[in-house]
Amino acid sequence: MSKSSPLPSNTAASGPSDEDLEPDTAERSDRGTRRRSRRPLGNRVAAVARWLHIYLSMFGLASVLFFSVTGLTLNHPDWFFANVEHLDEAEGTLERSWLNDLDSATTDQAEDQVDQLRVVEYLRLEHDVKGALTEFFVDEYECFVTFKGPGYSADARIDRETGEYFLTESTLGLVAVLNDLHKGRDTGPVWSVAIDVSAVVLTVISLSGLILLFYLRLRRNPGLVVAVIGGVVIVAVVLLGIP
């Protein structure tokens, strides 16, 4: 009677256990982490510069387009009928008590005897005056009130004795409005912040594009040469072309 051969071991047939594999997996993960951490600093800088350049360019696209077009209209207003002015005139009479309020005046100064808030609000409601109040001058006999906005101005002269006033509104059209927005003239603090943000975005776009140029080996030297030529041209225009 022959001896039966031993049954094959289930452990041997099933291959290496999970415990045997875990150290190899962990080792490969550690090697991958070390490899990523050893990624050249230049590549990381290039990746960040590329990301900033692409997405800030898209974010600032409207700003670049606006200031480019309005730079042209500002430099050549006669091409776009920017000097067309429309005048409106109006007359009326204010409450005399608003102009000579001696009871509520805190001093003997003329401007303290005028209820400036009521005068301004009346002109806005009665004549749809726009813009920001830029001047309210008061002397012994008259008041002079000035409102200004992009492509717009309104001036009122008020007789303190009779309350009669004469109002002149000047509107210069859409191109003049765009030109004043470009210059930030009579646009208020909110638009001033918008201009500052646009300037910062355009600066970062320019610098990130310059940084990317250093990582394009085939285009680096030609690109730098063109950049230097452009800078020299601007300096030459400033030095030689401006009287």
Side-chain angles (χ1 to χ4, degrees):
M1 182 176 180
S2 62
K3 295 181 179 180
S4 59
S5 58
L7 295 174
S9 171
N10 291 333
T11 302
S14 61
S17 63
D18 293 341
E19 288 79 2
D20 294 334
L21 289 175
E22 287 180 356
D24 292 340
T25 305
E27 184 178 354
R28 287 195 298 270
S29 177
D30 291 341
R31 285 200 300 269
T33 302
R34 288 196 298 270
R35 192 177 297 113
R36 286 193 297 270
S37 65
R38 291 196 299 267
R39 184 182 179 186
L41 177 62
N43 291 349
R44 284 180 280 174
V45 172
V48 172
R50 186 182 301 110
W51 186 90
L52 286 173
H53 190 75
I54 292 174
Y55 289 101
L56 282 182
S57 296
M58 294 300 98
F59 178 79
L61 181 62
S63 177
V64 173
L65 183 61
F66 173 79
F67 285 104
S68 299
V69 173
T70 54
L72 188 61
T73 62
L74 186 63
N75 200 37
H76 301 281
D78 52 312
W79 291 3
F80 303 95
F81 306 101
N83 294 323
V84 177
E85 182 178 14
H86 178 72
L87 291 176
D88 287 318
E89 297 177 346
E91 298 179 353
T93 304
L94 296 173
E95 292 286 342
R96 294 176 60 187
S97 60
W98 298 352
L99 307 173
N100 295 279
D101 192 358
L102 301 179
D103 295 333
S104 60
T106 57
T107 68
D108 294 335
Q109 299 295 324
E111 58 268 17
D112 290 334
Q113 300 172 8
V114 177
D115 193 336
Q116 299 184 16
L117 179 60
R118 286 189 176 182
V119 172
V120 169
E121 291 304 314
Y122 177 87
L123 294 175
R124 289 191 185 278
L125 293 175
E126 184 70 16
H127 301 284
D128 195 25
V129 173
K130 304 176 180 62
L133 177 66
T134 58
E135 183 181 8
F136 198 119
F137 176 77
V138 180
D139 63 18
E140 186 178 354
Y141 304 102
E142 293 181 315
C143 300
F144 299 91
V145 189
T146 301
F147 303 85
K148 287 187 177 181
Y152 173 87
S153 66
D155 299 283
R157 182 176 59 81
I158 307 168
D159 189 312
R160 292 186 62 190
E161 183 177 355
T162 64
E164 296 179 352
Y165 64 85
F166 183 80
L167 175 69
T168 303
E169 288 185 275
S170 173
T171 305
L172 296 177
L174 178 60
V175 175
V177 172
L178 295 177
N179 290 343
D180 282 348
L181 288 174
H182 182 102
K183 294 181 289 187
R185 184 172 65 183
D186 302 322
T187 54
V190 176
W191 182 251
S192 178
V193 172
I195 292 177
D196 291 340
V197 172
S198 299
V200 171
V201 169
L202 296 180
T203 300
V204 175
I205 291 173
S206 300
L207 292 178
S208 60
L210 183 61
I211 291 173
L212 282 176
L213 182 63
F214 285 94
Y215 294 92
L216 301 175
R217 296 182 180 179
L218 297 178
R219 301 181 184 274
R220 181 190 306 163
N221 292 336
L224 290 176
V225 169
V226 172
V228 171
I229 292 175
V232 171
V233 169
I234 293 297
V235 172
V237 169
V238 172
L239 297 178
L240 304 177
I242 298 179

